[in-house]
């Protein structure tokens, strides 16, 4: 934090050793209470005494991992409001930080927008022997197979790089989760 417009800084939280800290690093300060600060990486933490010499931090349920932004709903919108809007790769969540255990409202995620995020390079593969058959690695949603019958989950966690045997579409090679386990399926992930 800085009390002199950024000329000097005081560390209020140690860094997290996390692989997502460059893509999913977020912070917000309450507009009328500088003691209330929330930070997010793959999880979230909140302080209610951020201006203290040694602030304390507690885990905060932000609805999903990989937090990308926070917005405290201003008092001008709703007086004595205790809502915090959180965005992450799971969607948009409205949380209430004043309750003993903050409540998470995910109704904004039911608007009919069906979107998935693929992970890194090499995260989609097509079958040479069966061109209508695809395999994809999805962020937080694992591995999916795609064909004329639709989309089917074939594994959980973070989906990574994928490959299909060129001459035998039942043979799938995938990497999933952290630390990127490598798996082989001889039956299309069934």
């Amino acid at each position: 934090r800085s009390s002199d417009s950024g000329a000097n800084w005081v560390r209020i939280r140690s860094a997290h050793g996390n692989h997502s800290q460059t893509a999913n690093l977020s912070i917000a300060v309450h507009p009328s209470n500088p003691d209330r600060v929330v930070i997010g990486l793959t999880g979230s933490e909140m302080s209610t005494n951020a201006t203290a010499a040694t602030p304390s931090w507690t885990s905060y349920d932000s609805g999903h991992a990989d937090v990308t932004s926070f917005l405290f709903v201003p008092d001008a919108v709703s007086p004595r409001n205790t809502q915090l809007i959180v965005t992450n790769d799971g969607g948009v969540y409205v949380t209430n930080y004043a309750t003993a255990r903050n409540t998470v409202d995910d109704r904004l995620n039911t608007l009919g927008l069906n979107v998935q995020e693929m992970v890194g390079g090499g995260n989609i593969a097509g079958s040479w022997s069966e061109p209508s058959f695809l395999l994809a690695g999805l962020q937080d949603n694992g591995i999916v197979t795609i064909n004329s019958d639709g989309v089917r989950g074939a594994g959980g966690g973070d989906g990574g790089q994928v490959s299909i045997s060129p001459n035998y579409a039942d043979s799938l090679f995938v990497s999933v989760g952290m630390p990127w386990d490598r798996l082989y399926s001889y039956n299309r992930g069934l």
Side-chain angles (χ1 to χ4, degrees):
R1 99 184 140 240
S2 176
S3 60
D4 56 9
S5 300
N8 296 288
W9 291 91
V10 174
R11 181 182 302 264
I12 63 170
R13 179 68 172 99
S14 298
H16 291 271
N18 186 290
H19 77 284
S20 294
Q21 65 190 20
T22 55
N24 302 306
L25 180 58
S26 48
I27 185 169
V29 178
H30 192 281
S32 60
N33 180 1
D35 273 324
R36 185 171 299 277
V37 175
V38 63
I39 60 172
L41 295 166
T42 56
S44 301
E45 294 181 1
M46 184 176 283
S47 176
T48 57
N49 66 341
T51 60
T54 308
S56 59
W57 296 88
T58 56
S59 180
Y60 186 79
D61 182 1
S62 54
H64 190 79
D66 301 336
V67 176
T68 55
S69 67
F70 296 106
L71 175 67
F72 284 98
V73 176
D75 289 339
V77 173
S78 177
R80 295 178 304 284
N81 191 3
T82 57
Q83 290 182 318
L84 175 68
I85 299 171
V86 183
T87 63
N88 49 50
D89 63 5
V92 178
Y93 295 83
V94 179
T95 67
N96 184 343
Y97 57 82
T99 57
R101 181 176 159 100
N102 67 294
T103 55
V104 178
D105 180 352
D106 67 352
R107 285 179 290 173
L108 293 174
N109 296 327
T110 61
L111 300 176
L113 182 62
N114 187 7
V115 177
Q116 299 292 335
E117 174 186 2
M118 292 194 188
V119 179
N123 50 18
I124 189 164
S127 170
W128 292 9
S129 61
E130 207 174 307
S132 65
F133 181 64
L134 301 172
L135 181 66
L138 305 175
Q139 175 72 26
D140 288 337
N141 292 298
I143 303 295
V144 295
T145 59
I146 306 163
N147 63 20
S148 58
D149 294 329
V151 178
R152 184 183 61 77
D158 283 332
Q161 294 185 338
V162 297
S163 182
I164 301 173
S165 174
N167 298 318
Y168 188 63
D170 288 348
S171 292
L172 312 179
F173 304 88
V174 302
S175 60
V176 292
M178 294 301 208
W180 300 113
D181 293 326
R182 277 100 175 142
L183 305 173
Y184 164 70
S185 171
Y186 56 88
N187 62 357
R188 295 191 185 208
L190 298 176

